[in-house]
Amino acid sequence: MTYKEHLIFVASQRDAGGCFWLPMASVCWSDGIRKHVFSLKGRPQDRFVLLTDAENSAISIAHKWVDDHSQNGSSG
């Protein structure tokens, strides 16, 4: 998905015990010819029974990261 000129890839994964889904995402952007990737994950307590809930959380985390870094005029 694209959000404010950043690509967001959601890649939620199972926890070590295989019981819960952990929200994880990558944010990709470029500034001219340089390309950047930043990986994000939820807090340790962010665990979900349903994959869709983990994915929605990962999207929210990525949107917040982009918003926080775009305000500074740079995503780096």
Side-chain angles (χ1 to χ4, degrees), residues 4-76:
K4 295 184 179 180
E5 299 181 23
H6 293 68
L7 290 175
I8 296 173
F9 296 94
V10 175
S12 297
Q13 296 180 354
R14 289 279 194 178
D15 67 353
C19 297
F20 297 100
W21 288 99
L22 307 173
M24 300 177 78
S26 294
V27 178
C28 308
W29 73 98
S30 64
D31 59 2
I33 59 173
R34 293 181 12 189
K35 305 212 182 316
H36 308 275
V37 177
F38 191 81
S39 296
L40 301 160
K41 61 182 178 178
R43 302 167 300 166
Q45 63 267 36
D46 290 340
R47 299 179 296 167
F48 299 90
V49 173
L50 300 176
L51 174 60
T52 54
D53 291 341
E55 290 175 339
N56 289 335
S57 178
I59 291 168
S60 294
I61 291 166
H63 283 184
K64 182 178 179 343
W65 188 90
V66 170
D67 290 343
D68 290 349
H69 289 80
S70 295
Q71 290 175 5
N72 298 330
S74 169
S75 293

